[in-house]
Amino acid sequence: MIITEKRSIDDICKSLNIEKEIFVIGCAACATKCQTGGDKELLQIIQELKNRGFKVKDSIVLDTPCDSRIVKKDLGKKIANDNKDIQLLICACGSGVQTLSSEFFSVPIVSGLNTVYIGSTKRIGETLEYCKACGNCRLMEFEAICPVTRCPKGMVNAPCGGMIEGFCEIYPDKECIWSVIYKKTGNIGAYKEPKKFSKK
Amino acid sequence: MLSNLQQKLENKEFVITAEIFPPKGVDVSSLIEKANILRDYVTAINVTDGQRAVMRISPLAVSKILVDIDVEPIFQLTCRDRNRIALEADILGAYALGIRNILLISGDYPTSGDHKDAKPVYDLDTIQLIKTVKTLETGVDLVGKKLKGSPKFFKGAALNPFSTPHSLVLQTLQKKIEAGAEFFQTQPIFDMCFFDDIIHNTKGFDTNIIVGVFLLKSYEFAQRIARIPGICISKTVLDRLKNAKDELDEGINIAAELVKEFRRKAQGVHIMAIACEEHIPEIIKRSK
């Protein structure tokens, strides 16, 4: 899922206009799972905003704010896309925020979250970055363990000299991904070609 | 024409290399002074590429400065800051400027340095970078286009004898040799017991190992260095410094003893004396 974290309420309020009513929008998918943009989080943020003197007009948790069809269906009648008298506070990932900003082009928009990475959740508060969405998936060259994402240097041939007791020099509490691949295969494998960054 | 470093190693002569950090600025006068002190004692001098991810003047520029004063550089090039287009350009540029030794390494991650928010590039990894130099040597670039004149380098890479698991490190060493690495410089070894343990395993590899030796200029300095992950300094060495009347002199002795041993067991030594390069000639004299 897309992992998000909450922006601080102070930072959010700095971006908001105290004069305009706020429509708070959440996400029932990834942001709910991350406990950053679901029903409970929206209630908390609305209370914080009211405590600081902001006016909240309405709120909704959209199924998937990153889907234009859902946005049009669920919000089309509630918000005019040229309404400059309100502002949207969106607790969703960057994709969700920008889908809304395309559909409501002239409406002021503030993002309530920081999008961190595509990750895997071990438990709440403990996630790992697993995929960079590079568009040139090479997982099967590495027995389904991605060094492009999970090595900070993206080394696809071998570990760097910073691997100490199988741990990463840069993130000492993380296993070096080459140590993990090596445990699975016993072998660092043949020469691997450079990554492709053009997505065509 | 082969570099002195390459010629000596191919003739099985013991080599001594040293390291110079380019300055953070344009004043290279003290760097030139250090190079002049070292010129009669070392075969070649490594010019680091933003080591510890701290911004310093370009190693390409400094390597050319050394060429101009007739001191042989080993141009270090990392994967950290440049994409493949820039790396190929710098490799060709280095050759055109008279540089003949090149050391290819991944490079310390930006967060360990002073420009912590810089974008980590790592377009190519170390083994791909070694292969890139080899590809350019055949007269074509990475997309197969013909070059107007091709370079020819003596290609080196790094070996960290303290990186573990060893079996994985040795597979990496082999892969670097297959990609084209012809010599290796190691992280500093402070104690012969570590050498016998680790470097001994590299005996079966057809390559040149230049072992790192580090001048521990004081007990306090040694304690600080010992805290760096991956560095192993034995209690024996620490005690020698602690109990010495003249800590610097004892540090020079310790380094000289290691160099003397490595003369018998390795193809060369790489002496690192941070901010005290002027003591390197003394280390070499005492190691004979």
Side-chain angles (χ1 to χ4, degrees):
Chain A
M1 73 178 79
I2 295 179
I3 308 297
T4 47
E5 54 187 27
K6 294 180 192 174
R7 288 181 66 210
S8 80
I9 189 72
D10 289 336
D11 283 345
I12 291 172
C13 290
K14 277 183 200 152
S15 315
L16 288 167
N17 183 333
I18 194 81
E19 305 296 328
K20 295 192 181 176
E21 283 191 302
I22 307 169
F23 200 129
V24 187
I25 299 170
C27 162
C30 302
T32 289
K33 291 253 156 59
C34 287
Q35 296 185 350
T36 52
D39 285 305
K40 197 166 132 199
E41 292 77 43
L42 257 55
L43 284 173
Q44 279 169 350
I45 210 172
I46 289 166
Q47 191 53 58
E48 295 258 20
L49 292 169
K50 284 179 176 169
N51 290 347
R52 287 158 194 246
F54 287 93
K55 293 164 276 193
V56 178
K57 182 188 171 81
D58 201 350
S59 72
I60 186 171
V61 175
L62 294 176
D63 279 344
T64 41
C66 54
D67 189 334
S68 293
R69 298 163 297 181
I70 304 278
V71 167
K72 280 187 232 189
K73 178 171 80 71
D74 294 347
L75 281 181
K77 294 198 174 109
K78 295 191 182 195
I79 305 171
N81 64 10
D82 58 355
N83 185 341
K84 292 194 177 112
D85 296 326
I86 60 163
Q87 53 192 335
L88 308 184
L89 171 59
I90 305 165
C91 297
C93 75
S95 180
V97 173
Q98 292 186 79
T99 305
L100 284 150
S101 84
S102 315
E103 291 303 322
F104 299 105
F105 199 68
S106 303
V107 181
I109 292 199
V110 171
S111 168
L113 304 180
N114 206 359
T115 307
V116 189
Y117 47 62
I118 298 174
S120 170
T121 305
K122 294 271 178 223
R123 54 187 70 84
I124 278 297
E126 201 182 321
T127 59
L128 292 165
E129 184 177 9
Y130 268 26
C131 177
K132 279 214 173 344
C134 69
N136 282 295
C137 192
R138 305 171 72 164
L139 265 179
M140 294 332 294
E141 289 177 61
F142 307 99
E143 301 273 332
I145 300 168
C146 180
V148 174
T149 305
R150 296 162 73 179
C151 169
K153 298 181 183 181
M155 310 273 280
V156 300
N157 276 283
C160 75
M163 175 185 65
I164 307 289
E165 290 179 19
F167 277 75
C168 177
E169 178 186 53
I170 300 153
Y171 302 111
D173 56 346
K174 289 204 166 72
E175 260 195 282
C176 167
I177 204 61
W178 274 100
S179 173
V180 177
I181 294 169
Y182 183 67
K183 276 191 218 169
K184 195 169 181 182
T185 62
N187 194 318
I188 58 173
Y191 176 73
K192 301 288 193 297
E193 295 289 337
K195 300 185 274 286
K196 293 182 161 57
F197 287 91
S198 65
K199 291 197 183 185
K200 291 225 167 112
Chain B
M1 217 186 92
L2 301 184
S3 70
N4 290 332
L5 184 67
Q6 185 169 8
Q7 276 184 61
K8 285 197 161 164
L9 285 169
E10 285 183 3
N11 293 338
K12 307 279 181 228
E13 282 176 57
F14 189 76
V15 300
I16 300 179
T17 59
E19 196 157 287
I20 286 190
F21 297 166
K24 193 189 246 301
V26 298
D27 180 358
V28 294
S29 52
S30 97
L31 181 142
I32 292 174
E33 245 178 74
K34 286 177 186 172
N36 283 326
I37 291 171
L38 295 171
R39 72 161 65 241
D40 294 329
Y41 295 92
V42 304
T43 317
I45 298 182
N46 285 59
V47 181
T48 56
D49 182 7
Q51 84 286 353
R52 302 308 299 154
V54 172
M55 188 287 294
R56 292 166 178 270
I57 190 175
S58 158
L60 186 56
V62 171
S63 297
K64 167 63 170 154
I65 288 168
L66 291 186
V67 166
D68 285 349
I69 60 168
D70 215 16
V71 171
E72 184 166 300
I74 299 173
F75 168 50
Q76 290 195 194
L77 187 62
T78 70
C79 304
R80 179 191 58 229
D81 306 322
R82 301 171 184 81
N83 70 8
R84 66 197 75 175
I85 301 170
L87 288 166
E88 287 179 279
D90 280 358
I91 292 162
L92 296 178
Y95 187 83
L97 292 173
I99 296 156
R100 295 290 177 267
N101 303 309
I102 192 167
L103 187 85
L104 294 332
I105 47 179
S106 61
D108 294 313
Y109 204 70
T111 49
S112 48
D114 60 2
H115 285 53
K116 293 182 195 299
D117 292 320
K119 181 179 185 175
V121 179
Y122 300 108
D123 182 19
L124 299 178
D125 65 27
T126 318
I127 286 168
Q128 289 160 355
L129 183 54
I130 297 168
K131 209 150 194 258
T132 296
V133 180
K134 222 170 169 199
T135 302
L136 293 170
E137 288 174 346
T138 67
V140 293
D141 67 8
L142 281 180
V143 295
K145 291 214 170 121
K146 234 176 146 214
L147 299 179
K148 193 175 178 183
S150 51
K152 185 79 186 79
F153 285 100
F154 189 45
K155 299 172 286 295
L159 168 65
N160 185 0
F162 301 106
S163 181
T164 46
H166 286 151
S167 49
L168 178 44
V169 173
L170 291 171
Q171 282 197 20
T172 304
L173 177 67
Q174 181 58 32
K175 211 168 177 181
K176 286 182 180 177
I177 294 169
E178 284 164 11
E182 298 162 285
F183 72 91
F184 290 84
Q185 289 175 308
T186 82
Q187 249 75 322
I189 290 180
F190 296 93
D191 210 293
M192 279 315 291
C193 67
F194 295 123
F195 174 85
D196 291 329
D197 205 23
I198 298 145
I199 301 294
H200 183 75
N201 288 322
T202 63
K203 266 204 167 134
F205 294 85
D206 183 19
T207 191
N208 299 294
I209 308 282
I210 302 171
V211 184
V213 171
F214 201 101
L215 173 57
L216 296 169
K217 50 191 175 182
S218 69
Y219 175 59
E220 187 264 328
F221 183 75
Q223 281 180 301
R224 261 196 287 137
I225 298 291
R227 284 195 277 269
I228 297 172
I231 298 280
C232 302
I233 305 182
S234 69
K235 192 172 180 299
T236 315
V237 166
L238 286 168
D239 283 346
R240 278 180 69 174
L241 288 164
K242 189 178 180 187
N243 301 326
K245 275 206 185 105
D246 182 338
E247 287 172 34
L248 172 61
D249 196 69
E250 190 61 8
I252 293 173
N253 283 336
I254 291 167
E257 286 161 26
L258 287 166
V259 174
K260 199 172 186 175
E261 279 290 319
F262 293 140
R263 283 184 188 276
R264 298 187 295 116
K265 295 182 175 181
Q267 286 74 54
V269 289
H270 177 61
I271 307 180
M272 292 166 265
I274 299 177
C276 52
E277 293 84 355
E278 65 275 15
H279 298 296
I280 293 177
E282 188 57 29
I283 295 170
I284 296 169
K285 278 185 207 147
R286 292 190 197 178
S287 75
K288 289 199 168 136

